[in-house]
Amino acid sequence: LLNLWLIPAYGIIGAAVAWAVSLAVVNAARVWQVRSLIGALPVSRGMLTGLLAGAAALAAGLAAGAVLPGGAGTLVAGLVFIVVGDAAVVLALGLRAEDRMVLRALRRRSDA
């Protein structure tokens, strides 16, 4: 139904929006089903941290694009904004044991 409504008005963008909405509804129904049958949420603290860090990185990138002028320097500055936004949220929420293990392995690999 969304395709029938959105595609004539918005073309390929309407198809993409309809597809995204249908995926979101199906996934929300699956989460509700797992919650009602098993009593568990299929989301961990690490997933929420990643989601929040990604949202912060997106906001930082959009802010950099709105504030900075165009050009190659803007691309580099935007990348810095994105990395700093992501890292700030991850560090503010705290590193998990798995995160520290990966960092130690990377540090050992770079020392070798």
Side-chain angles (χ1 to χ4, degrees):
L1 288 175
L2 283 174
N3 279 330
L4 292 174
W5 177 45
L6 294 174
I7 290 175
Y10 300 103
I12 193 72
I13 301 298
V17 169
W19 179 71
V21 168
S22 66
L23 280 179
V25 168
V26 167
N27 285 329
R30 288 178 178 162
V31 168
W32 175 79
Q33 186 179 25
V34 167
R35 178 71 173 166
S36 64
L37 293 175
I38 301 173
L41 281 176
V43 179
S44 68
R45 180 179 177 271
M47 288 180 196
L48 292 176
T49 299
L51 181 64
L52 290 174
L58 174 64
L62 291 174
V67 173
L68 299 173
T74 301
L75 183 63
V76 173
L79 181 61
V80 170
F81 274 53
I82 290 169
V83 169
V84 168
D86 186 81
V89 171
V90 169
L91 293 175
L93 295 176
L95 294 174
R96 296 174 301 141
E98 295 89 357
D99 298 330
R100 288 190 291 277
M101 181 179 69
V102 168
L103 289 174
R104 278 194 301 272
L106 289 173
R107 194 175 304 136
R108 278 192 299 258
R109 189 173 191 164
S110 67
D111 291 341

